[in-house]
Amino acid sequence: MRLRLSDIARQAGVSEATVSRVLNDKPGVGQQTRQSVLTALDVLGYERPQALRKHAIGLIGLVVPELENPIFPLYAQTISNVLAGSGYTPVLCTQTPGGVSEDEFVEMLRERAVAGIIFVSGLHADTTASTARYQELKDKRLPVAFVTGHPEGVEAASFSCDDTVAARIAVEHLAGLGHERIGLVSGPDRYWPVRRKISGYRAAMQGVGPELIELTLFGEQGGHAAASRLIDRGATAVVCGSDMMALGAIRAAEERGLSVPQDFSVVGYDDSPLIAHTNPPLTTVRQPVRDIATAAARALLDEIAGQPTPSSEYLFRPELVVRGSTGAAPRED
């Protein structure tokens, strides 16, 4: 398609002289105006001049467990934006049950000569998994960074939300509302985040009431099953390991004729996108996803550039977000 300055100028709402300056990468044009001209080029189907194209420096692998939990797409999006802003192309590897394993993804990424890999909630978060796979990558001088958990014995940058604090502040919130029979719903305890939540829960429950812990599969169905058992055990409130599990807990309460929060209180974890719009709006513990993701991406970029990076785990403080799914403990008849 023959490039016409008049068409681009009309689309961008600027003069042809301004379009010419942008296309020739000349100074004297504001950033917003320059972006308007480039957008007009894209809308009209013109190819950007070679000098105006961002060149990709290389590829960086991004391994995530699954995308059904809305928190993981947010991690992936934030990390990808930071990497792309530095000229790298992210290669997203999403694991699914029965699909490609983490080790197989890593082998594929190495074959593509990636500059580094970021792992989000991978095998490094599983206490039963060997960390030798990560040490091997370090020995081969491949930069790596980890989100949610730290592989023991491996000197690498890791960034996590402080799950111990998350469980503690959730319990303290419910105890402050008068609840004594507070349950904990989470995934299998072989995972570091779960173990930390259990630790924080137990510490916060001292002097409050009995420990009521139900571990299950992650996800809405797991939350439903575990909360059902806790309700049968007399719990009046639950702290959940994720927002998705919390939605399952609310469903379990409603199926038993309980009203949330009048009869039963629920606290989630993550503060996933759109979770504020549930019915009732979910009280949850927000993990600072964007801060964690940005820190992990920048640490990897620093390591690729040969700059010093952290060699241990950095914990980010969570925040309690009170909405409509928690209320005063029901009165005993």
Side-chain angles (χ1 to χ4, degrees), residues 30-44:
Q31 182 59 38
Q32 187 172 352
T33 301
R34 186 179 297 274
Q35 188 58 50
S36 297
V37 172
L38 295 177
T39 300
L41 275 175
D42 298 336
V43 170
L44 295 172

Side-chain angles (χ1 to χ4, degrees), residues 6 47 49 51 103 159 183-184 199 225 248 258 271 291:
S6 57
E47 286 191 8
D103 290 336
F159 304 88
L184 174 66
S199 175
L258 300 176
D271 197 26
D291 291 343

